[in-house]
Amino acid sequence: MKIAIIHDWLVTYAGAERVLSALLKIWPEADLFSVIDFLSDEDRAHLGGKHAQTTFIQHLPKARTRYQQYLPLMPLAIEQLDLSGYDLIISSSHAVAKGVLTGPDQLHISYVHSPIRYAWDLQHQYLNEAGLNHGLKSKVARMVLHYMRMWDQRTAAAVDEFIANSQFIGRRIDKAYRRPSTVIYPPVDTHGFDLQPVKQEYYLTTSRMVPYKRVPMIVEAFRAMPDKHLIVIGDGPEMDKCQALGATNVTLLGYQPFSALREYLRNAKGFVFAAEEDFGISPVEAQACGTPVIAFGRGGTLETVHGLDHDQPTGVFYHEQSVAAIIDGVREFECNAHRITPQACRENAERFSEQRFEREMRQFVESRWNQEHPPVAVPSPASAPRLSLAPALAVAAKPL
């Protein structure tokens, strides 16, 4: 069968692209499609060097750096991809990829990282962070997001099966599309990290410094705990806010190569996480190193971290995105750190390995394909009716 894999856009290699990489490992013969493709050679190597067939947005001005400004055009663009020659379509979608046009004889399975976040339940947060609360630009943005919601819900009806990357996203799918989904957690390279039972006296957070990650809030919390040391790895538009806080007990390292990131994860006393993530790969990578997690208790981390109510805890939850709550979370962790073992953290992380993802994904797709295309039963020689030549021979033997 001919297979097509569709991804929203290819600009950087992040969490959604790790899923895409795993899909291409399972089905390396698949053709790849995307709204735009500006991956670097280094990032493309994770996709086996494969280039995507793109849309007209690829050739619009500044599409490489300001592609999100073309969001209103993306439904039109994704619908222009001609997939009529494919039997199986797998979309990897957090925006528009699931909206590709398919026919009744094609099987479309959509792996959903999230329904379009800024068009559904996070619309008001997005408008606030973008400074679009008032004025003409705000009205235009709200109209565009309203259109995106209508299009997103309508195109959900053409998907044959939804796969959610967590139970949290499964509930979002049900809320937005009124459709059931199957949870298959994303792949995490647990083998790329090793268990380190002996820890050093510092806390760590690693993240792209974008607003919803709340990195400045973590820095501010540790500024209020001068006896504790925090190391921050990552870069982005929120870096200036972190630097302006002037926390002398916080070390801002900016971007670091993977080898350095892994060493800091292995040796950290605890990993601090403040985002409400759909899944959240970083907390799982920390646990793969045997490092406990102190996390905001909403979203995917509730499924990837075992709290203190578990018989084998791997971290501590705080339940409000605030400086005071993070401080309380760190203190609760220090009071209960003796209950959390590096081995328990590592064993929990193994639940999300790449091998597990590939096995579950392949089994799901093959099972669904076989439902649509049951094998034709061919009678065995023993059960097939026998053709006798005796009547013909008898007729031939009669005299004329």
Side-chain angles (χ1 to χ4, degrees):
M1 60 181 172
K2 289 194 67 177
I3 303 172
I5 296 178
I6 301 90
H7 194 68
D8 290 302
W9 48 73
L10 291 168
V11 179
T12 59
Y13 187 76
E17 288 69 37
R18 296 189 191 194
V19 171
L20 176 61
S21 174
L23 293 175
L24 290 171
K25 287 179 182 177
I26 304 171
W27 295 285
E29 73 281 8
D31 291 330
L32 178 61
F33 295 82
S34 182
V35 171
I36 56 173
D37 182 356
F38 291 111
L39 278 184
S40 66
D41 292 340
E42 180 182 358
D43 288 340
R44 194 177 305 281
H46 295 289
L47 307 183
K50 195 178 288 279
H51 287 258
Q53 298 181 46
T54 58
T55 69
F56 65 86
I57 293 179
Q58 177 85 11
H59 309 290
L60 295 181
K62 298 184 178 179
R64 179 189 294 269
T65 56
R66 299 191 176 183
Y67 59 94
Q68 290 177 327
Q69 293 184 357
Y70 292 117
L71 181 66
L73 296 177
M74 288 187 184
L76 173 63
I78 206 74
E79 290 177 353
Q80 302 312 304
L81 294 174
D82 182 6
L83 304 180
S84 57
Y86 294 89
D87 306 297
L88 171 64
I89 292 94
I90 301 173
S91 57
S92 166
S93 183
H94 59 79
V96 298
K98 74 159 187 40
V100 291
L101 300 179
T102 58
D105 295 325
Q106 296 173 296
L107 176 61
H108 179 189
I109 296 174
S110 184
Y111 189 96
V112 177
H113 308 277
S114 176
I116 308 175
R117 299 178 186 88
Y118 29 84
W120 290 98
D121 54 315
L122 299 183
Q123 171 184 296
H124 301 293
Q125 177 182 327
Y126 163 73
L127 292 173
N128 288 336
E129 291 173 353
L132 295 172
N133 293 317
H134 308 286
L136 179 60
K137 287 185 178 181
S138 175
K139 290 182 172 61
V140 172
R142 292 171 193 273
M143 289 175 60
V144 169
L145 294 176
H146 177 70
Y147 157 70
M148 293 298 298
R149 273 194 300 278
M150 294 174 61
W151 177 86
D152 193 35
Q153 190 172 55
R154 177 182 61 78
T155 56
V159 175
D160 296 296
E161 292 285 348
F162 280 105
I163 299 175
N165 76 349
S166 65
Q167 295 175 29
F168 176 62
I169 291 305
R171 293 193 295 273
R172 268 191 180 160
I173 291 171
D174 178 66
K175 191 78 172 180
Y177 307 147
R178 294 303 179 191
R179 293 283 303 277
S181 59
T182 299
V183 174
I184 298 180
Y185 291 114
V188 180
D189 181 18
T190 54
H191 291 302
F193 301 87
D194 58 326
L195 179 64
Q196 170 61 280
V198 180
K199 304 298 182 181
Q200 298 179 19
E201 284 297 318
Y202 68 84
Y203 291 90
L204 177 72
T205 188
T206 66
S207 174
R208 289 178 294 118
M209 290 195 184
V210 292
Y212 85 95
K213 297 286 189 178
R214 307 296 180 96
V215 179
M217 185 176 68
I218 299 174
V219 173
E220 188 175 353
F222 273 83
R223 185 180 65 172
M225 298 182 285
D227 58 321
K228 307 184 194 313
H229 183 203
L230 173 70
I231 293 177
V232 181
I233 293 178
D235 205 349
E238 297 269 278
M239 174 62 92
D240 291 343
K241 291 183 180 180
C242 293
Q243 292 172 334
L245 288 168
T248 57
N249 61 325
V250 176
T251 304
L252 302 172
L253 294 180
Y255 168 80
Q256 294 293 308
F258 175 74
S259 57
L261 168 65
R262 179 173 53 194
E263 283 305 300
Y264 282 110
L265 274 175
R266 291 176 72 245
N267 292 293
K269 180 179 182 179
F271 182 80
V272 186
F273 196 69
E276 180 183 337
E277 283 282 18
D278 306 328
F279 173 75
I281 289 178
S282 295
V284 179
E285 293 176 336
Q287 291 174 87
C289 297
T291 300
V293 177
I294 304 164
F296 177 49
R298 283 189 64 182
T301 51
L302 289 175
E303 301 169 49
T304 61
V305 179
H306 290 156
L308 293 175
D309 57 343
H310 196 273
D311 58 353
Q312 295 264 330
T314 64
V316 169
F317 294 117
Y318 56 93
H319 301 286
E320 182 181 285
Q321 285 180 312
S322 69
V323 169
I326 293 175
I327 294 172
D328 289 343
V330 172
R331 288 173 177 166
E332 185 176 17
F333 166 72
E334 295 193 340
C335 291
N336 293 276
H338 63 282
R339 295 179 51 199
I340 303 174
T341 66
Q343 187 60 41
C345 293
R346 175 70 192 189
E347 290 176 0
N348 184 48
E350 290 287 4
R351 295 192 294 129
F352 308 99
S353 69
E354 291 179 328
Q355 292 75 14
R356 180 270 326 160
F357 173 84
E358 292 174 15
R359 181 182 66 254
E360 291 181 2
M361 193 72 192
R362 184 190 298 275
Q363 289 175 348
F364 181 89
V365 172
E366 289 180 352
S367 173
R368 188 62 178 81
W369 174 264
N370 290 334
Q371 289 177 28
E372 293 286 323
H373 304 82
V376 177
V378 178
S380 65
S383 61
R386 295 184 178 181
L387 179 63
S388 175
L389 296 178
L393 292 174
V395 170
K398 288 182 178 181
L400 297 173

